[in-house]
Amino acid sequence: MAPAYVQGPIDVPLVEETIANRLATVVAKYPDRVAVLSSKGKLTYSQIDLQSDAIAISLRDSGLRPSDRVAICIGNLAEYVVLIHACAKLGAVVVPMSTAYTEVQLVSAINHITASCLVLSTDISLPYKSPKSAHELFGGIIPKENRRNKVPSVKQLLVIDNSPSRCYRGAFPDALWFDDVLNEKSGQKFQPQTKLTPSDIINIQFTSGTTSSPKAACLTHKGLLNNAIITGNRLNLTELDVLCCVPPIYHAFALSLGVLSTMAFGCTLLLPSESFNPKAVVDSIIDHQATVIYGVPTMFLAELEEAAQRGLGSSSFSSLRTGLIAGSIVPPVLRAKLKERMNLSGLLNMYGMTELSPSVSTTCFDDDVEKHHNTVGTVLPHTEIRIVSRDDCHQTLRKGERGELLIGGYLLMKGYWEDEKRTLEALVMETGAHRGGLCPSQGPKTWLRTGDEAVIRSDGRLQITGRIKDIIIRGGENIYPSEIENLLLQHDLINGVAVVGLPDDRYGEIIAAFIIPHENALVSQHHDTSAFDLRTGSNPLPCVDSRATGTILTGEDIRCMVRSTLGKSSAPKYIFWTSKIPLTATGKTEKYKLREIGEIELRKRAEDPAVGQQAVRS
């Protein structure tokens, strides 16, 4: 079998320009085309250009210079797009902040990257929650006298008024107001004072916690812009497309492949709501005839549920032709439902990481069902992938063998902000001697260690088998949670599942499955001492004993299903029935939280076996 190494096509050269250069080209070509559609209206490319000029001038006048960091904590507003382009023109670095941050987290993140400017909206929206006042959430850093103490690097506060009614401006003293800047600087043309280059850092993305051991990836104009163009080409984007961008712009997925891809091709970016709202997504697709949609599996599941509740079939989504689904392994059953109910036969799997600008590979339109179900497709142009031993990142494996995935190419981050130690751990420098003749280029080559376990198949397609840290080692045998999860999601009575490993004295680790039953399912706990009910809120899951009939789901049902397909060693020892699974703001399962919950419940069981039959709060 050949070495586990693949290089994407290199026949079309990379673009050597800044984001501001590309915007100027698009504005000249499509000045009146709608660039952004949101619930508050629309902006043309000409308006984006004018408004970003005004904001860039104002930021420069307030003392910001190229390479200064601008922290942005707002939802998916049209103003976000303007801000990104204003920073790109000025040479300032966009640092998106999660709208789910607490004040402590926001302060820590700002101080880590020593931001010179902070951008807030008057209201902050989160999925499935009512908006909250930014002053209520972050009041400790808004007043001038306190801001100097908590975030001493911040020279300027820029505020966007997104409240339903005009907010009290006195709550934001010493602030610039976005609309005032547009009025005052209207018609003024920004003149760059410093020559910017494609290799300059334009974006810093936090990839881990902000209050303890933060990692902030530094991304360049060249990496982000080329990734946006290359991925857009894989989707066959044109100026006629309307791209429904559901993930938050503070994530690299939406910033690069949403904001920058639509700009690069002159098409329309559709922002359904400030934070994820499945009703708004469905309405936006229908009202604006969206042709492309992005999301992670949990978002698509919520959209399917919304459509089903409203009795909408595939004809309601006839405008959709393609999209990207990413963020976690995609269950085949979900792909089948999206094809049947949302007209998404052209939906492509995408694999990427924030540190990679972010897209590495996608499936293709002409891939068959097996490739869509089991792979993340082929590597994108100007990108290299290889699989190495989990114990030795210099030892390249053979195609078909599982190991750690390494990525090389233009898309790599420059490093983690002010963290040389972890940058050196993540970015591996190799010489020709290390590569063993694999790579055609001369001289040293840098690879990013992804921490993902993967396989390069004999057909060259990439298959992600899981996070290395999530692999369960049961008695020396590797168990892959994604295989169990994908199998169980095929059960008609299961709406969601996450599988983790819990400590065990005999095997080292044993398998635990957290399962969200279908709303019509009856969960039986009868004589199952390895099943736990984690009830939340006022609507606990309905339970029955083993004598009931109907749509009954038992722990033994789960184990039998896994044993019959994946073998006895993969069957979960512990079942946790739950009404929700903890997710990050971008829809990824927080498995470390599930492990914590599982360990707590096992300790309770050890102390008092009767606890296992009682309902507890998750």
Side-chain angles (χ1 to χ4, degrees), residues 512-568:
F514 288 76
I515 295 173
I516 302 175
H518 189 278
E519 58 185 5
N520 295 326
L522 302 173
V523 176
S524 174
Q525 293 281 112
H526 193 66
H527 295 317
D528 194 341
T529 58
S530 294
F532 299 73
D533 259 337
L534 303 178
R535 300 170 185 254
T536 59
S538 57
N539 296 308
L541 301 170
C543 292
V544 298
D545 62 31
S546 62
R547 294 167 294 181
T549 59
T551 53
I552 301 172
L553 192 60
T554 71
E556 191 53 28
D557 292 337
I558 302 302
R559 297 184 187 95
C560 283
M561 186 176 182
V562 175
R563 279 196 297 263
S564 63
T565 304
L566 301 177
K568 182 179 179 180

Side-chain angles (χ1 to χ4, degrees), residues 412-487:
L412 266 62
M413 67 173 180
K414 276 199 167 181
Y416 294 118
W417 179 261
E418 295 190 345
D419 194 339
E420 183 179 3
K421 179 178 182 293
R422 284 196 290 186
T423 296
L424 292 174
E425 291 171 352
L427 296 176
V428 180
M429 183 71 73
E430 293 197 314
T431 65
H434 282 135
R435 296 197 293 273
L438 281 178
C439 312
S441 58
Q442 301 298 314
K445 178 176 289 293
T446 302
W447 297 88
L448 177 84
R449 299 189 64 175
T450 66
D452 285 329
E453 190 195 61
V455 172
I456 296 177
R457 306 195 321 180
S458 59
D459 61 6
R461 284 172 170 78
L462 180 62
Q463 183 175 6
I464 306 298
T465 52
R467 289 291 292 171
I468 288 176
K469 66 182 180 182
D470 290 337
I471 293 172
I472 301 167
I473 303 177
R474 179 187 182 275
E477 180 180 1
N478 288 351
I479 306 294
Y480 300 92
S482 61
E483 294 180 349
I484 304 171
E485 292 163 353
N486 288 342
L487 174 66

Side-chain angles (χ1 to χ4, degrees), residues 196-364:
L196 306 177
T197 70
S199 62
D200 290 339
I201 296 170
I202 178 60
N203 177 217
I204 295 177
Q205 292 274 349
F206 280 94
T207 68
S208 66
T210 55
T211 56
S212 62
S213 194
K215 288 197 297 185
C218 300
L219 307 177
T220 66
H221 288 264
K222 181 176 181 177
L224 287 169
L225 184 56
N226 278 284
N227 203 266
I229 294 169
I230 287 170
T231 308
N233 282 331
R234 186 64 66 94
L235 289 165
N236 290 339
L237 286 185
T238 74
E239 71 276 9
L240 301 179
D241 278 307
V242 177
L243 192 155
C244 183
C245 186
V246 182
I249 295 176
Y250 65 72
H251 194 272
F253 184 5
L255 190 151
S256 175
L257 308 185
V259 174
L260 297 184
S261 283
T262 51
M263 180 275 296
F265 289 87
C267 51
T268 300
L269 178 69
L270 174 59
L271 301 174
S273 53
E274 291 182 39
S275 61
F276 178 60
N277 180 326
K279 181 181 184 303
V281 174
V282 170
D283 287 342
S284 293
I285 293 169
I286 296 171
D287 293 344
H288 299 291
Q289 293 294 284
T291 58
V292 185
I293 184 170
Y294 290 171
V296 299
T298 51
M299 292 174 173
F300 280 109
L301 280 168
E303 290 151 21
L304 283 170
E305 291 175 8
E306 173 68 23
Q309 289 172 5
R310 292 160 62 172
L312 301 175
S314 62
S315 60
S316 299
F317 303 96
S318 58
S319 63
L320 288 176
R321 66 171 185 83
T322 187
L324 289 176
I325 184 167
S328 62
I329 295 172
V330 183
V333 66
L334 174 58
R335 286 196 63 91
K337 289 179 180 179
L338 290 170
K339 178 181 179 180
E340 176 188 353
R341 303 177 190 176
M342 287 185 68
N343 199 47
L344 282 170
S345 58
L347 184 67
L348 305 184
N349 297 347
M350 189 270 281
Y351 170 76
M353 286 180 64
T354 299
E355 290 91 336
L356 297 167
S357 303
S359 183
V360 173
S361 69
T362 75
T363 49
C364 299

